[in-house]
Amino acid sequence: GESVGLHLPTLSVQEGDNSIINCAYSNSASDYFIWYKQESGKGPQFIIDIRSNMDKRQGQRVTVLLNKTVKHLSLQIAATQPGDSAVYFCAEKGSSNTGKLIFGQGTTLQVKP
Amino acid sequence: GAGVSQSPSNKVTEKGKDVELRCDPISGHTALYWYRQSLGQGLEFLIYFQGNSAPDKSGLPSDRFSAERTGGSVSTLTIQRTQQEDSAVYLCASSLVTGSSLAQHFGDGTRLSIL
């Protein structure tokens, strides 16, 4: 069945370093992917998205890379800050015609000062 | 406000009671979604509304769960005869369906606790 998973449950980085959060997806027909940040007690906050006709997209301090050959998605955060500490989810728009997203289990990013 | 608004933010109720959760989407967003998030888990899709189309109810876990969207805007998720396994955070999101971004924007959820 469709699934999206994250390779590491927890990532700990030093403030100022770059962070890379990885995600594997299983549905090769997925055409849209999105990264969310979730802080405790809050709803997921949109970070960046990418369509399947692209392999890279950049935002402010963040870059998403999509490798359709190996069905892999990554989120790179430059110059990680304490405020980046949160749980990060990747999600894919599945093969159905509805807009529902399929979420992974999440990676916790801990930023050490 | 400009974001998705959900109420109540917290709800504690006894097993067997019915509950109603409300979602006000972002103005102009035609698509509305409900998800459920159990402690420490990812989000589980429940139901999707888009315009006047029939909703996608494929994620509803049982017939105790239902949702409606009135006037293409506000949505209510109803859980009848609540069970302890219904305890979770219920999240609502809305989005556009055309344009440069299809991103779903979430509210902060309703934390439901069944005693």
Side-chain angles (χ1 to χ4, degrees):
Chain A
E2 297 172 335
S3 67
V4 178
L6 295 170
H7 291 307
L8 296 174
T10 303
L11 176 65
S12 186
V13 300
Q14 203 71 38
E15 180 179 359
D17 287 351
N18 297 333
S19 302
I20 300 176
I21 301 173
N22 294 304
C23 179
Y25 64 94
S26 60
N27 186 355
S28 58
S30 291
D31 59 3
Y32 176 77
F33 304 86
I34 189 166
W35 282 98
Y36 286 96
K37 172 187 179 184
Q38 188 175 29
E39 297 173 298
S40 181
K42 299 288 188 180
Q45 176 187 356
F46 168 75
I47 301 173
I48 192 167
D49 56 1
I50 189 168
R51 295 178 188 257
S52 60
N53 61 353
M54 302 173 68
D55 54 20
K56 180 179 180 179
R57 192 166 186 221
Q58 289 184 292
Q60 186 177 12
R61 281 202 306 120
V62 295
T63 301
V64 55
L65 299 177
L66 175 63
N67 186 330
K68 294 181 289 293
T69 301
V70 295
K71 292 185 286 187
H72 184 268
L73 191 69
S74 68
L75 177 69
Q76 301 178 359
I77 305 173
T80 313
Q81 302 169 359
D84 295 328
S85 295
V87 178
Y88 289 79
F89 292 96
C90 64
E92 65 176 317
K93 181 178 175 298
S95 58
S96 69
N97 290 326
T98 72
K100 70 180 182 183
L101 293 175
I102 300 167
F103 282 79
Q105 292 303 303
T107 291
T108 300
L109 177 63
Q110 298 175 339
V111 182
K112 296 176 288 187
Chain B
V4 176
S5 178
Q6 293 188 246
S7 61
S9 55
N10 287 281
K11 177 72 175 178
V12 180
T13 193
E14 294 179 344
K15 175 182 171 181
K17 300 288 189 183
D18 297 351
V19 295
E20 283 190 353
L21 312 179
R22 177 186 168 101
C23 173
D24 284 272
I26 293 172
S27 178
H29 281 189
T30 58
L32 186 147
Y33 316 78
W34 285 97
Y35 294 85
R36 179 170 69 174
Q37 186 175 31
S38 300
L39 187 63
Q41 300 295 311
L43 279 69
E44 172 192 7
F45 168 79
L46 296 177
I47 188 169
Y48 161 66
F49 295 91
Q50 162 51 20
N52 295 321
S53 301
D56 176 359
K57 304 180 182 179
S58 62
L60 294 179
S62 78
D63 59 8
R64 295 186 297 104
F65 289 72
S66 63
E68 62 179 21
R69 188 178 186 192
T70 55
S73 181
V74 171
S75 178
T76 302
L77 177 69
T78 301
I79 308 174
Q80 296 178 308
R81 305 180 302 280
T82 52
Q83 303 295 313
Q84 288 187 331
E85 61 263 28
D86 300 334
S87 296
V89 177
Y90 289 81
L91 290 156
C92 176
S94 68
S95 76
L96 299 169
V97 293
T98 59
S100 60
S101 178
L102 305 179
Q104 296 179 21
H105 298 273
F106 285 83
D108 285 336
T110 294
R111 184 175 300 274
L112 178 64
S113 300
I114 309 300
L115 304 178

